[in-house]
Amino acid sequence: MGTGTVWFVGAGPGDPELITVKGRGLVERAGAILFAGSLVSEAAMRWAPTGCVIADSKDMTLEDMSAWLIAQAARCDTVVRLQTGDPGLYGALIELVQPLDAAGVPVQVVPGVSSAMASAAAAVESLTLPEVTQTVIFTRMEGRTPMPEGESLEALAAHHSTLCIFLSITLMGKVTAALTAAGWSLDAPVVVVHKASWPGEEKIVRGTVATIQGLCREAKLVSQSMIIASPTLGARQWSTLVKSKLYDASFTHRFRRASIPATSLTQGNQDTQDKP
């Protein structure tokens, strides 16, 4: 058995250029790459060196993938498992790492840009805003994979913070029903981004809890779509906006002294120093 390392690399949301510099460097020196062809753009393979063994995992089982990675680690120093988004988020990371651990194959993980972040960027939306919400929940609608107790979408939506809902576009009716049951208004904004950052394939659909299901049906969105429900959506057009205290001219922190007198509210926030 060789001592090659298997690197689980986040390829990002779709645009090959959104892979990290470190991830690209690993692709450039890899002796073997196993990529998730149903989700990762094959364009990311353009950085692979001549002679690199490349395989697509879309028709493999977990056992097939583990066996392939172990076999390649026995013959080359750098093996890359290229996964969509970030390997630690809705990826079969631990299921693949355990057999490698058992085989004595070293493992490293390189994070990647999640489709949640790419979707917010595509729509020019912020997932958090001062005094609106400071919490983001990554979740999914229950399907073939059940949700743990207490993690139903209705229970999470009751917090009325930002929801990034993965793997649920075909269950949009259930998504909107859960939001409604959790007390979200029918006119609360929802944005759905299909294939965020994929050149020429990205679609952005904006609607409300009441209208988004029909709009997504009209747009024929049936896969690879991020659903974002948040009280921050549309803030770009708001006439008034509470701004971060960190950048307020009356706020002193360790890198800048206040240039104008602090109000009582701002003075009360001085205790937070460099926090927004």
Side-chain angles (χ1 to χ4, degrees):
M1 179 74 65
T3 57
T5 298
V6 174
W7 293 81
F8 289 82
V9 176
D15 183 347
E17 294 187 353
L18 285 179
I19 192 171
T20 64
V21 173
K22 184 168 185 175
R24 176 173 168 173
L26 286 163
V27 170
E28 289 174 336
R29 67 174 187 265
I33 298 173
L34 181 64
F35 76 104
S38 59
L39 298 170
V40 175
S41 172
E42 196 164 356
M45 301 307 111
R46 67 192 181 199
W47 296 304
T50 302
C52 178
V53 176
I54 298 174
D56 187 344
S57 65
K58 67 173 176 281
D59 58 353
M60 292 183 178
T61 64
L62 281 172
E63 292 74 18
D64 293 336
M65 288 187 276
S66 296
W68 192 94
L69 293 169
I70 292 168
Q72 296 304 320
R75 54 168 290 275
C76 54
D77 291 335
T78 302
V79 179
V80 171
R81 165 57 177 166
L82 203 56
Q83 297 191 201
T84 184
D86 180 272
L89 190 60
Y90 298 109
L93 176 63
I94 301 305
E95 295 98 313
L96 288 172
V97 166
Q98 285 185 335
L100 298 178
D101 286 344
V105 176
V107 167
Q108 296 282 347
V109 179
V110 177
V113 177
S114 168
S115 59
M117 303 297 112
S119 295
V124 194
E125 297 285 358
S126 179
L127 300 179
T128 60
L129 283 175
E131 298 185 27
V132 179
T133 185
Q134 297 288 283
T135 302
V136 181
I137 297 173
F138 290 174
T139 189
R140 61 174 295 171
M141 194 71 208
E142 185 173 55
R144 287 182 294 179
T145 301
M147 295 298 287
E149 185 177 353
E151 291 189 21
S152 69
L153 183 57
E154 181 179 339
L156 297 175
H159 294 286
H160 290 266
S161 55
T162 294
L163 297 165
C164 294
I165 307 168
F166 291 71
L167 307 169
S168 302
I169 190 62
T170 60
L171 301 170
M172 184 60 83
K174 292 184 177 180
V175 169
T176 56
L179 294 175
T180 303
W184 288 60
S185 168
L186 289 177
D187 61 4
V190 179
V191 62
V192 175
V193 182
H194 172 71
K195 286 197 167 185
S197 84
W198 284 69
E201 298 186 64
E202 179 182 276
K203 293 181 182 179
I204 301 173
V205 177
R206 295 181 183 273
T208 65
V209 170
T211 65
I212 195 66
Q213 181 181 9
L215 292 171
C216 287
R217 187 183 299 117
E218 290 175 13
K220 297 181 171 57
L221 304 188
V222 294
S223 66
Q224 291 178 259
S225 299
M226 172 62 56
I227 305 165
I228 301 177
S230 174
T232 67
L233 294 179
R236 191 178 183 181
Q237 283 77 45
W238 294 358
S239 58
T240 58
L241 194 68
V242 175
K243 297 180 180 179
S244 170
K245 297 295 186 294
L246 179 60
Y247 305 107
D248 193 298
S250 65
F251 186 62
T252 293
H253 56 71
R254 60 188 173 132
F255 298 109
R256 188 191 70 234
R257 301 296 301 174
S259 58
I260 62 174
T263 64
S264 58
L265 177 61
T266 303
Q267 188 67 48
N269 284 332
Q270 296 268 331
D271 293 337
T272 63
Q273 293 295 314
D274 17 355
K275 297 178 183 177

